[in-house]
């Protein structure tokens, strides 16, 4: 009846990673390491140019700098562990370290969901109400918008991580995943996880449903406004200002919806089975998406490309 009779404390977890597919480990180690370096370089350069180039001191690039910093934090919270797991079969991670990773991973993902919604509002005001843009998107507005994105993501992560680490684990400490992902850890609980499932569904609505609805409505107005522009050149310029954000939104939310569209119940978690695709899809979200973000914004944005070239030319002349 008492907890001591049916549960035992777990000091750490064993992460299986791709140990069931040893032929893929070295290939994915090299591939993910290269992607991680590209993430650090690409997002680091974006942060640098948005700080150093005065022409980029606008709300859109302020949000972009936050997005780049967020992508660096998210990948750094998980990728080094994943890489180490490829080299160390059945990687052991302490309970506290696993909890920290779960917190940062969920916090960064939740923050990015909200932040992309804020960026959609910025594009809506810029295209649909350009004359009011300096007033609506003043520093007194866009800084609190960014701060609130981080606060919402962090708060949601505290709730989910707290609910997860309070669960009893009945001796089974093998995580059949690449890292300490919340859904993978929930598979190890030996009690009913209905509260966790409900909280996950609420988070899906708040962090996925609401921002996507907000972004969709914003782009309905944006597209309607663009179509009313008489000249083809004007329509092209207007669409180019939001095409990068729209591309990032499609990639980011498309992957997230595929991952978390249906929180799994306790019954479906008991066998602790996971397909290879269930491991690789979160990896795609966690590595490929942050790698593509700076590439998309750089290729589709003349201001960013110009700022990068100016920064590179200044470094060359300095030498």
């Amino acid at each position: 009846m008492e907890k001591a009779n049916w549960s035992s404390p777990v000091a750490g977890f064993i992460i299986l990673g791709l140990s069931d597919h040893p032929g893929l480990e070295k290939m994915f180690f090299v591939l993910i390491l290269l992607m991680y370096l590209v993430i650090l370089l690409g997002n680091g350069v974006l942060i640098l140019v948005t700080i150093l180039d005065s022409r980029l001191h606008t709300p859109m690039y302020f949000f972009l700098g936050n997005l780049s910093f967020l992508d660096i934090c998210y990948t750094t919270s998980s990728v080094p562990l994943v890489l180490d797991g490829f080299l160390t079969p059945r990687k052991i991670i302490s309970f506290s370290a696993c909890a920290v990773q779960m917190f940062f991973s969920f916090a960064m993902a939740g923050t990015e969901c909200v932040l992309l919604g804020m960026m959609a509002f910025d594009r809506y005001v810029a295209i649909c109400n350009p004359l009011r843009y300096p007033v609506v998107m003043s520093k007194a507005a866009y800084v609190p918008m960014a701060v609130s994105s981080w606060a919402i993501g962090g708060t949601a992560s505290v709730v989910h991580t707290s609910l997860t680490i309070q669960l009893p684990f009945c001796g089974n400490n093998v995580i059949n995943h690449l890292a300490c992902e919340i859904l993978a850890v929930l598979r190890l609980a030996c009690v009913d996880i209905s509260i966790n499932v409900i909280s996950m569904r609420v988070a899906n609505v708040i962090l996925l449903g609401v921002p996507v609805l907000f972004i969709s409505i914003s782009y309905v107005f944006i597209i309607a406004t663009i179509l009313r522009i008489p000249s083809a050149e004007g329509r092209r310029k207007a669409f180019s200002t939001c095409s990068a954000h729209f591309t990032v939104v499609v990639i980011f939310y498309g992957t997230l919806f595929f991952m978390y569209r249906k929180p799994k119940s306790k019954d479906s978690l008991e066998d602790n089975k996971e397909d290879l695709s269930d491991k690789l899809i979160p990896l795609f979200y966690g590595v490929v998406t942050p790698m593509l973000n700076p590439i998309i914004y750089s290729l589709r944005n003349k201001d960013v490309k110009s700022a990068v070239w100016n920064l590179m030319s200044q470094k060359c002349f300095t030498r």
Side-chain angles (χ1 to χ4, degrees):
M1 292 289 292
E2 296 183 8
K3 182 181 294 186
N5 293 333
W6 47 265
S7 67
S8 58
V10 174
F13 294 101
I14 298 174
I15 299 178
L16 288 184
L18 295 179
S19 57
D20 293 336
H21 308 274
L24 298 177
E25 289 183 321
K26 292 183 179 179
M27 180 187 71
F28 274 102
F29 175 84
V30 175
L31 183 62
I32 295 174
L33 176 60
L34 292 176
M35 288 181 174
Y36 182 53
L37 295 177
V38 172
I39 290 169
L40 295 179
L41 178 62
N43 287 287
V45 169
L46 269 182
I47 293 173
L48 197 60
V49 297
T50 55
I51 294 175
L52 298 180
D53 196 314
S54 58
R55 295 173 301 173
L56 303 184
H57 292 174
T58 63
M60 184 179 78
Y61 295 111
F62 175 77
F63 288 132
L64 180 57
N66 274 264
L67 182 63
S68 295
F69 179 69
L70 192 153
D71 284 338
I72 290 176
C73 292
Y74 177 79
T75 52
T76 302
S77 70
S78 59
V79 170
L81 176 65
V82 172
L83 292 174
D84 188 25
F86 289 151
L87 299 178
T88 308
R90 300 177 69 87
K91 170 71 178 177
I92 298 177
I93 183 173
S94 67
F95 184 85
S96 58
C98 185
V100 169
Q101 188 192 3
M102 283 191 295
F103 167 78
F104 279 105
S105 296
F106 197 97
M108 297 303 105
T111 300
E112 188 159 351
C113 289
V114 182
L115 186 62
L116 288 174
M118 300 295 185
M119 295 173 74
F121 177 75
D122 172 73
R123 293 299 84 206
Y124 161 76
V125 178
I127 294 176
C128 300
N129 297 283
L131 297 180
R132 297 190 60 199
Y133 184 78
V135 177
V136 176
M137 295 303 297
S138 63
K139 189 173 184 179
Y142 67 77
V143 171
M145 288 170 65
V147 172
S148 64
S149 299
W150 287 91
I152 293 172
T155 301
S157 183
V158 168
V159 172
H160 286 289
T161 304
S162 299
L163 289 175
T164 302
I165 63 177
Q166 291 176 8
L167 294 172
F169 301 97
C170 305
N172 183 10
N173 65 337
V174 179
I175 298 177
N176 190 9
H177 207 271
L178 296 174
C180 282
E181 198 262 352
I182 287 183
L183 293 182
V185 174
L186 288 178
R187 289 180 169 88
L188 308 182
C190 55
V191 294
D192 180 69
I193 58 170
S194 299
I195 295 178
N196 300 79
V197 172
I198 293 172
S199 65
M200 186 66 72
R201 287 173 176 164
V202 173
N204 283 347
V205 173
I206 297 175
L207 300 179
L208 291 176
V210 173
V212 167
L213 179 62
F214 185 78
I215 292 171
S216 301
I217 295 174
S218 297
Y219 271 100
V220 168
F221 285 102
I222 288 173
I223 293 173
T225 301
I226 291 176
L227 293 178
R228 288 198 297 266
I229 299 176
S231 66
E233 181 65 17
R235 290 194 296 269
R236 187 191 65 79
K237 288 183 178 180
F239 183 73
S240 66
T241 63
C242 59
S243 59
H245 173 261
F246 182 77
T247 304
V248 169
V249 164
V250 170
I251 296 174
F252 177 82
Y253 280 108
T255 309
L256 264 188
F257 270 121
F258 196 77
M259 286 169 54
Y260 295 114
R261 67 191 183 280
K262 183 181 179 182
K264 299 180 180 179
S265 64
K266 175 62 181 172
D267 292 337
S268 65
L269 298 178
E270 284 179 348
D271 55 7
N272 197 23
K273 293 181 180 179
E274 186 150 5
D275 295 332
L276 180 61
S277 61
D278 293 329
K279 298 179 181 180
L280 296 183
I281 290 172
L283 184 63
F284 173 85
Y285 160 74
V287 179
V288 177
T289 304
M291 182 187 69
L292 291 179
N293 286 352
I295 297 175
I296 293 171
Y297 275 100
S298 298
L299 292 178
R300 293 179 174 270
N301 194 300
K302 293 181 179 179
D303 292 335
V304 173
K305 287 190 288 187
S306 175
V308 172
W309 281 115
N310 289 339
L311 179 64
M312 293 176 61
S313 61
Q314 289 176 6
K315 293 293 183 181
C316 293
F317 284 126
T318 302
R319 291 181 181 178

